[in-house]
Amino acid sequence: METATLHQNYLLSPSPNSSSLLPLPSFSHRSLHFSPFPSSLSLKLVKGGLSSNALQAVSPFRPDAAVSDICSETTELADIDWDSLGFAYVPTDYMYTMKCARGGIFSKGELQRFGNIELNPSAGVLNYGQGLFEGLKAYRKEDGNILLFRPEENALRMKIGAERMCMPSPTVEQFVEAVKATVLANKRWVPPPGKGSLYIRPLLIGTGAVLGVAPAPEYTFLIYVSPVGNYFKEGVAPINLIVEHELHRATPGGTGGVKTIGNYAAVLKAQSIAKAKGYSDVLYLDCVHKKYLEEVSSCNIFVVKDNVISTPAIKGTILPGITRKSVIDVARSQGFQVEERLVVVDELLDADEVFCTGTAVVVSPVGSITYKGKRVSYEEGGFGAVSQQLYTALTRLQMGLTEDKMNWTVGLN
C-alpha cells in the first residue's frame, strides 16, 4: 500500500455498491492510502487545513501515476449544457458524510461516491422531522479558481438551529473544511463564469432509530452539491407574488427562525395554489396580527421607499438569511439607510421597489404583489435602481470580479 501525507480527519472511499469510479481526489500535504483494487480504495485525512491547491486527480486504477500526469482529468468541465441550467437537481460525483452519537462529537468524515443512503424506517428525521439543512454556493472565477461565499455564516446558523432542534452539530471548522473538500471533489461541476454556480446543500439529520417522541440516538451530517442557474423561471426578470393571509409559515416560539426541514413542507400548499394561478411565489404575513410582512417561501423581503430600504426584523419567526445580512451590509456601506423593523403590508401599496434575497435567488426584483385581490406593480421589465445597484455589487463580489473589502469570500485554488 502506498502512502503520502495528509492533514484532515476525513476519509474518502467509494460507495460499496459503486460499479465504476471516477478519479479520486488527492490533497496536497495529506496522506493517501490505496491499493491497486478499487474495492479497497480509501483516502484518509488527518487534522489540518485544506491546501490552496488541494484536489487534483489520482486515478484508483493507476496507483503509480503521478498527480501531474492526470491533473487535466479533473480540470475538464462536466459535459452538460451550461446554458440551460435551471434550479434543479443534477447528480454529481461525490458527497460527504460524518456521523455522531447523541451527546458525542462529530469526527472522521468521509467523501464517497454520490448515491442513495440507507435509513432505518424509525429514523428520527423520518418520524419526527429532526433535521436541518443549509444552502450556499461556489463560483468559478475567470482564472478558473473557485470562491465560496461566507461559509462560516452557514456553519454558525446550523449550530444555532441544531441547538433548537436538540441535535449535535459539527464545529464551524469541520463544516467549512467539509464544504471545501466536497466542492473540490466535484470541481468539474462548478459552472463556467457567468453560467451559474455550484449549489452546496449541507444536511444535519437524525438517522438513529427512535420510536417514542425523543431526540434520535445518532446523527448524520451530509453534504451534496448540484450545478444551478436561476431559481425562478423568470431568471432575473421581476417575479409576481401573492400575499397569503390565511395560511402561515411560522408562529412565535416555533422554529421559523431556524432552517429546519419542516418549515419548507409547511409552505408547499400555499405555494402550489399560488403557482397554479400564475404567481411566482407567496409572501407570508405574521400569524398574530396578520398585517406584518414576514418572508417569501424561501427568501427574505425588502421594501424601498424614497431610497430608504426596509426589511422585517428578525424576531424568531423569520429566517436570518445570509444573503439578507450581506445585502444590508452592502447597502449601508454604499450610504443607504436600512431599517430592520415591523413592516406593515400596506407599505407595499406605495413602495418604489420591492425585492427578495436568498442564497438561491441572490437578489430578485418583484414586479407585482397581489393582496386581497388588489395588484400593485413596480418596475416593469427589470430591476429598480436600488435593487440593481445591490445585485451588481453583491454578485460581482461573489464571483471575484471586485475587491472583497468585506473579507467574505474563501478561495479554493
Side-chain angles (χ1 to χ4, degrees):
M1 179 174 288
E2 301 189 15
T3 303
T5 302
L6 287 158
H7 298 291
Q8 191 81 303
N9 198 17
Y10 301 144
L11 170 72
L12 175 61
S13 63
S15 172
N17 55 6
S18 295
S19 58
S20 63
L21 294 174
L22 293 172
L24 281 177
S26 138
F27 299 85
S28 60
H29 309 305
R30 290 181 173 147
S31 92
L32 178 63
H33 302 277
F34 58 82
S35 78
F37 303 102
S39 61
S40 61
L41 179 74
S42 66
L43 178 68
K44 293 197 177 189
L45 304 145
V46 250
K47 189 124 192 167
L50 229 90
S51 160
S52 63
N53 60 356
L55 200 66
Q56 300 171 13
V58 171
S59 169
F61 305 106
R62 298 170 56 197
D64 57 335
V67 170
S68 58
D69 293 338
I70 50 179
C71 182
S72 61
E73 294 178 22
T74 55
T75 58
E76 293 180 3
L77 292 174
D79 185 18
I80 63 174
D81 184 359
W82 298 106
D83 292 317
S84 299
L85 277 180
F87 200 89
Y89 161 74
V90 176
T92 53
D93 296 334
Y94 296 99
M95 61 184 183
Y96 179 97
T97 61
M98 182 164 55
K99 293 185 180 292
C100 174
R102 184 184 176 192
I105 58 173
F106 281 95
S107 63
K108 199 177 181 180
E110 85 179 354
L111 279 167
Q112 58 185 228
R113 284 296 301 266
F114 181 84
N116 293 340
I117 62 174
E118 290 187 1
L119 282 178
N120 188 301
S122 195
V125 66
L126 297 180
N127 290 264
Y128 302 117
Q130 196 182 20
L132 297 164
F133 75 90
E134 278 297 327
L136 62 159
K137 288 179 176 178
Y139 296 86
R140 188 181 297 275
K141 297 171 60 180
E142 293 290 345
D143 62 7
N145 291 333
I146 295 171
L147 289 179
L148 301 176
F149 185 70
R150 309 191 76 176
E152 73 289 342
E153 290 289 334
N154 296 89
L156 289 167
R157 188 168 65 180
M158 176 168 275
K159 287 183 69 68
I160 293 170
E163 193 279 331
R164 175 64 178 85
M165 300 297 290
C166 297
M167 306 167 73
S169 64
T171 66
V172 171
E173 181 183 12
Q174 285 176 322
F175 182 103
V176 173
E177 292 302 318
V179 167
K180 289 179 180 179
T182 310
V183 171
L184 290 171
N186 293 285
K187 188 174 183 178
R188 71 193 190 101
W189 295 96
V190 182
K195 300 295 186 181
S197 58
L198 186 71
Y199 185 82
I200 306 158
R201 173 56 61 83
L203 292 165
L204 180 60
I205 54 178
T207 45
V210 58
L211 189 59
V213 179
E218 182 187 75
Y219 298 87
T220 298
F221 175 62
L222 186 150
I223 304 175
Y224 69 93
V225 298
S226 178
V228 297
N230 291 309
Y231 182 78
F232 290 115
K233 64 180 178 62
E234 293 88 346
V236 293
I239 61 173
N240 300 299
L241 302 178
I242 184 170
V243 177
E244 175 58 55
H245 51 87
E246 293 298 331
L247 299 176
H248 298 282
R249 176 191 167 276
T251 60
T255 59
V258 298
K259 207 167 176 68
T260 182
I261 57 179
N263 290 347
Y264 296 84
V267 307
L268 297 179
K269 183 176 179 64
Q271 187 186 65
S272 298
I273 294 171
K275 289 189 174 184
K277 295 179 179 179
Y279 297 102
S280 309
D281 214 327
V282 176
L283 174 57
Y284 292 89
L285 301 178
D286 77 288
C287 69
V288 177
H289 306 285
K290 297 187 177 183
K291 68 175 184 178
Y292 297 114
L293 303 184
E294 293 223 319
E295 62 179 274
V296 181
S297 300
S298 60
C299 43
N300 297 111
I301 191 84
F302 286 77
V303 179
V304 182
K305 180 66 177 177
D306 297 328
N307 269 5
V308 176
I309 304 170
S310 301
T311 190
I314 302 297
K315 293 185 177 294
T317 55
I318 298 171
L319 187 73
I322 295 163
T323 308
R324 172 190 181 275
K325 179 179 182 179
S326 303
V327 163
I328 290 172
D329 289 345
V330 168
R332 286 174 173 159
S333 74
Q334 295 187 351
F336 287 102
Q337 178 182 340
V338 182
E339 298 178 349
E340 298 178 75
R341 59 176 176 83
L342 293 174
V343 181
V344 180
V345 64
D346 292 340
E347 294 184 47
L348 296 171
L349 303 180
D350 65 346
D352 298 329
E353 295 178 44
V354 179
F355 62 91
C356 299
T357 66
T359 298
V361 304
V362 188
V363 176
S364 181
V366 175
S368 73
I369 292 181
T370 301
Y371 176 51
K372 292 186 175 180
K374 182 176 182 179
R375 179 185 174 107
V376 180
S377 295
Y378 307 104
E379 293 291 330
E380 294 292 338
F383 283 98
V386 174
S387 54
Q388 176 69 75
Q389 183 173 333
L390 297 175
Y391 171 81
T392 300
L394 186 63
T395 54
R396 284 181 60 80
L397 194 157
Q398 290 175 327
M399 297 176 189
L401 299 174
T402 189
E403 182 184 357
D404 180 12
K405 295 179 180 179
M406 303 286 194
N407 197 30
W408 284 345
T409 57
V410 176
L412 306 180
N413 299 332

